[in-house]
Amino acid sequence: EVSLTNQITGLAEDQRTQVAAQLVSTLAYFGHLRGVRILADGQPWPVPGASDGVVSMAAFSEWQLLDDQPEPQAYAIRKGRVGIIDSQAPGGLVFLGGRLGKGGWGAQPNLLAVHRSGDVIAVVNTQRDQLHVAQPGSDNVRLAHRGVKLLRPQVLADRSVVTIDHTGYGPMLVHLDASGALHRTLLPGLAGTEVINFRISPDRTR
């Protein structure tokens, strides 16, 4: 039995399914369990396909967790050029095609994030005042945002990009959505502070 607070009651149906799948996959390590009862403030929590909040351990047997997927490639920056780490390659690095791999495109990349598929790359420059986004092999490196003390970006599962900017009003969340639209949200709870690192969970992005 897993008891949660009532904050989960407002989740949409697909989100409830995802929460149930995560709980089941975590508890599956205890091989003797056949099901998990999920409660919200002591009451059975409605999960699609579950009865009285009881989720069968077999209900998500066909789901593939991110941890079960092939390990993504590792990327690195060397002398302003982005490449894929390969122990068999000369120097241990295979530079990407396109502007990111060639370098000399107007900014010196420093902080790097890559989508699990490898098809979206976000970089923050050495001065930490520019966020750029590109696809490997492309000569088009897009300047998506200018800021102050930008943090290492994160590329989410939906291929949107997130970083933290430090404005005169305090830390600000910068979100470049998958369509290319930029959204900025001040974080008043962090006013007067400097964020040194952040992570958005649980999509297990790099």
Side-chain angles (χ1 to χ4, degrees), residues 18-150:
Q18 291 171 355
V19 170
Q22 182 63 62
L23 289 172
V24 166
S25 66
T26 300
L27 295 174
Y29 290 101
F30 301 96
H32 63 282
L33 295 180
R34 295 185 179 179
V36 180
R37 180 186 297 276
I38 304 176
L39 304 178
D41 274 356
Q43 300 299 315
W45 188 52
V47 177
S51 175
D52 293 329
V54 177
V55 181
S56 168
M57 302 300 285
F60 300 100
S61 60
E62 296 182 359
W63 283 48
Q64 183 184 32
L65 302 178
L66 288 177
D67 280 345
D68 295 332
Q69 296 178 2
E71 195 64 26
Q73 294 173 311
Y75 290 72
I77 299 172
R78 179 185 295 164
K79 296 182 179 180
R81 302 169 66 190
V82 180
I84 298 174
I85 295 175
D86 184 349
S87 60
Q88 304 300 315
L93 196 65
V94 177
F95 291 109
L96 300 180
R99 298 288 292 278
L100 286 180
K102 296 174 184 176
W105 45 273
Q108 187 82 357
N110 178 37
L111 305 173
L112 173 71
V114 184
H115 188 266
R116 288 187 66 90
S117 67
D119 62 359
V120 176
I121 300 175
V123 296
V124 167
N125 65 339
T126 303
Q127 291 76 24
R128 293 175 56 195
D129 59 3
Q130 298 177 13
L131 170 68
H132 297 263
V133 179
Q135 294 180 329
S138 173
D139 284 332
N140 180 26
V141 179
R142 175 189 175 190
L143 174 59
H145 176 73
R146 293 183 182 270
V148 177
K149 294 183 178 179
L150 298 176

Side-chain angles (χ1 to χ4, degrees), residues 131 144-147 150 154 161-167 172-177 182-185 187 198 200:
L131 170 68
H145 176 73
R146 293 183 182 270
L150 298 176
Q154 184 174 350
V161 178
V162 180
T163 187
I164 299 290
D165 188 359
H166 291 85
T167 71
M172 177 174 66
L173 181 72
V174 178
H175 179 212
L176 180 70
D177 68 27
L182 193 66
H183 309 273
R184 302 177 178 90
T185 305
L187 305 173
F198 80 102
I200 294 179

